[in-house]
Amino acid sequence: FLEISSAVADDVQLHWRDAQGQWQMQKAGDVVPRTQWPVLSRMPTFLLPEADGKSMEYFLRVVHQRAPISVQLTVWRDTALMASQQSQMLLLGMFFGLMLLVLLVSVVIAVLLRDRAFLAYCGYLLTVGGFMFTNVGLSAQYVWPNSPLLADRMLFVLASLTAATGPWFVRIILKPVMRLRFLNGLIGFMVGLMLLIALLEAFSPTMASYVVLNAASVLTLLIIYALVASAWQRGDAATRWVAMGFVPVVLGAIPLLMRNAGLIANSNLTQYSMLIGSALEMPILLYALLSRSSQRRDGMMRAAGLPTQDALTRLPNLRQLLDQLHGAISRASRYRHRYGLVLVELTNEAWFAKEHGREMADRALILLAARLQQQAREIDTVSRIDPTHFALLMEGPCSPHMMAKLTTRIAASGLKPNDVLPVGAVLKLKITCALMPHAQSREAGDDSNAQLGWLIAQADALPADPRKTVHTLGF
């Protein structure tokens, strides 16, 4: 068998003389339906006739309009050809299976999260996948095997659509980060131009439209590079993953464009560079989109939780604590047990703000909130009740030993080393705890506001003693 290494050649003819001296011909290429090829395959393949031990002379004619053509010729025995085709189809099946899986996952996520970015990614995957499926000869073999017209024109139509969706997709992803009016206009112009070229390639392809297609594709790559470089400088983690994801596929398009321009010969690199780049791109972009979506959902959840959560630490706010405390008081009265109430103050919050700025003070508060949650049980409630005070409701039945153990762990957690605060800085805490209801707290009232207010008043009345971290009331 003779195999021609170009799945998109227009007209390939093999000529020879038979034993009677008559000229014979086999024909393949886009001008011939795949079902009429000598061997049904991705690339033109001819069956070489038996020569009966004699030398034989063959003439091969390769015609390709509008673009330079260079092919590699390979002579195979039947078993070697079968093994080669099976290996190629296995690798191509793995790639397009991965692309289909990513596409289906993106569709499901787009529907569930109603995220336009995933819909844009689906459109981008469809155009890129369709172009590569056609470029390697699978579309003509399996989708339109009886249509030479589609085999000849759809490659350039899909190439135009791919060049149109690339910068459009990148712009949608980076829209919250970048607001450059000039780039918006340029991308809109390029998308319109590539759609116009797609129409010309579909109905009236010319040499001029081919030249404009390749020039516009180069400009599209430059636009994507500019967007990626600008996004990288912004420093946003999800945006940087998007930038990293586009690098392989943009690099993979360069050999293809150089082949179209006649600068390099056709080879495995020019045929499969886009596939390799896309295989690297897909998981990176999917992760980037998931990370971006997670950030957006996190912001929406923060906004939705403002009535019940502290905006900085995302702990339950004072209203939620009072609601939980009301239930604890009712249960303590019904079952005749005691619950614990702990008040934790970050005493050096003002120092953080003065010496290192408001952001560092906020970091200290967030760190303290995280450590309080680590020490609390699942049934307990940790709440931020004012800028520097936190409260921990320890559900009953509660004993002095349990309270002492908990407050000791909280005090020790404030002294743990960390990478969030300045070097050498620790969380200086003032911890006031009580087994409730306390004999004096009952005098203040039985409701949750009165019980919490009594503990806060007791903590404020304690003398300042930097050597003592934990203050106990009632045990």
Side-chain angles (χ1 to χ4, degrees):
F1 294 88
L2 174 65
E3 185 181 63
I4 312 300
S5 65
S6 176
V8 295
D10 288 339
D11 188 4
V12 186
Q13 302 173 9
L14 181 69
H15 300 263
W16 75 95
R17 289 181 184 271
D18 60 16
Q20 290 75 34
Q22 300 295 319
W23 282 104
Q24 304 294 329
M25 180 184 71
Q26 293 179 19
K27 191 172 183 179
D30 288 344
V31 297
V32 182
R34 290 295 173 107
T35 53
Q36 298 178 18
W37 281 18
V39 178
L40 184 59
S41 61
R42 293 191 306 112
M43 294 181 286
T45 306
F46 300 100
L47 177 63
L48 299 180
E50 295 289 341
D52 296 329
K54 300 178 182 179
S55 63
M56 195 164 230
E57 193 173 35
Y58 300 93
F59 297 89
L60 182 69
R61 183 172 185 263
V62 181
V63 178
H64 192 65
Q65 297 181 355
R66 299 198 302 167
I69 185 70
S70 60
V71 295
Q72 295 175 338
L73 309 181
T74 308
V75 177
W76 299 94
R77 293 195 179 275
D78 52 356
T79 54
L81 176 63
M82 183 179 298
S84 172
Q85 290 182 344
Q86 287 177 346
S87 299
Q88 293 173 14
M89 295 303 288
L90 174 63
L91 295 175
L92 290 173
M94 292 170 60
F95 170 78
F96 288 108
L98 172 64
M99 178 169 280
L100 180 60
L101 176 62
V102 173
L103 177 63
L104 292 176
V105 170
S106 300
V107 169
V108 172
I109 295 176
V111 172
L112 292 178
L113 301 183
R114 299 180 182 179
D115 191 337
R116 191 177 65 155
F118 280 96
L119 286 176
Y121 187 43
C122 293
Y124 171 73
L125 281 178
L126 284 174
T127 55
V128 172
F131 167 72
M132 289 188 288
F133 200 73
T134 305
N135 188 53
V136 297
L138 293 176
S139 294
Q141 184 176 355
Y142 294 110
V143 182
W144 43 74
N146 296 307
S147 177
L149 182 65
L150 291 177
D152 179 57
R153 296 188 180 181
M154 283 304 295
L155 176 66
F156 301 103
V157 172
L158 291 170
S160 303
L161 295 177
T162 301
T165 56
W168 168 73
F169 168 64
V170 177
R171 187 66 191 93
I172 287 179
I173 300 301
L174 304 182
K175 190 173 182 180
V177 181
M178 298 174 55
R179 299 185 182 277
L180 303 178
R181 186 172 300 177
F182 171 74
L183 277 178
N184 282 338
L186 183 58
I187 291 171
F189 170 77
M190 290 303 302
V191 170
L193 176 62
M194 299 312 295
L195 292 177
L196 177 61
I197 294 174
L199 290 175
L200 291 175
E201 289 292 333
F203 298 104
S204 181
T206 62
M207 189 63 192
S209 66
Y210 175 79
V211 172
V212 174
L213 168 61
N214 283 276
S217 298
V218 173
L219 181 57
T220 297
L221 291 182
L222 294 177
I223 293 173
I224 293 177
Y225 269 123
L227 290 170
V228 165
S230 300
W232 187 269
Q233 294 177 356
R234 299 281 172 164
D236 178 68
T239 305
R240 286 192 169 186
W241 277 109
V242 173
M244 290 172 59
F246 265 95
V247 170
V249 75
V250 171
L251 292 177
I254 294 176
L256 193 62
L257 291 172
M258 293 179 68
R259 182 200 68 181
N260 292 345
L263 300 177
I264 60 176
N266 188 60
S267 64
N268 288 334
L269 176 64
T270 59
Q271 291 191 59
Y272 303 117
S273 59
M274 280 283 288
L275 271 74
I276 296 172
S278 295
L280 297 173
E281 173 202 42
M282 285 186 292
I284 298 176
L285 279 185
L286 184 61
Y287 172 79
L289 290 175
L290 288 172
S291 177
R292 173 183 177 274
S293 179
S294 177
Q295 289 180 1
R296 292 184 61 193
R297 291 200 312 274
D298 184 69
M300 295 171 64
M301 290 175 63
R302 279 179 175 268
L306 285 177
T308 59
Q309 292 179 347
D310 175 60
L312 178 64
T313 63
R314 301 188 68 178
L315 293 176
N317 58 18
L318 178 59
R319 181 184 181 86
Q320 286 295 102
L321 174 67
L322 292 175
D323 187 45
Q324 295 294 325
L325 183 55
H326 176 77
I329 293 172
S330 299
R331 287 186 291 273
S333 175
R334 181 182 306 167
Y335 299 112
R336 300 185 180 280
H337 64 235
R338 305 179 76 181
Y339 61 90
L341 198 56
V342 183
L343 189 67
V344 182
E345 179 186 3
L346 180 62
T347 58
N348 59 342
E349 187 268 347
W351 176 85
F352 280 118
K354 180 180 179 182
E355 297 295 332
H356 301 283
R358 184 66 254 169
E359 180 181 354
M360 187 59 66
D362 289 343
R363 288 187 182 184
L365 291 167
I366 294 172
L367 179 62
L368 176 55
R371 290 187 171 176
L372 288 174
Q373 286 181 305
Q374 290 173 359
Q375 301 305 326
R377 301 172 302 174
E378 291 186 2
I379 61 173
D380 297 337
T381 302
V382 181
S383 171
R384 186 184 179 203
I385 58 177
D386 68 26
T388 59
H389 287 81
F390 295 80
L392 190 155
L393 171 62
M394 195 173 184
E395 291 284 352
C398 186
S399 66
H401 174 71
M402 295 170 60
M403 290 288 294
K405 186 177 180 180
L406 173 65
T407 53
T408 301
R409 291 203 310 264
I410 293 174
S413 69
L415 301 176
K416 284 183 180 178
N418 62 85
D419 299 327
V420 176
L421 304 180
V423 177
V426 296
L427 301 175
K428 293 184 179 181
L429 307 178
K430 178 184 177 182
I431 304 172
T432 308
C433 59
L435 277 173
M436 306 291 283
H438 192 274
Q440 297 179 7
S441 69
R442 288 192 178 95
E443 299 177 0
D446 292 334
D447 60 284
S448 55
N449 274 296
Q451 295 291 297
L452 180 61
W454 173 84
L455 182 61
I456 294 174
Q458 293 298 314
D460 291 341
L462 291 172
D465 186 356
R467 296 173 299 177
K468 190 174 183 180
T469 301
V470 180
H471 304 267
T472 61
L473 300 174
F475 65 96

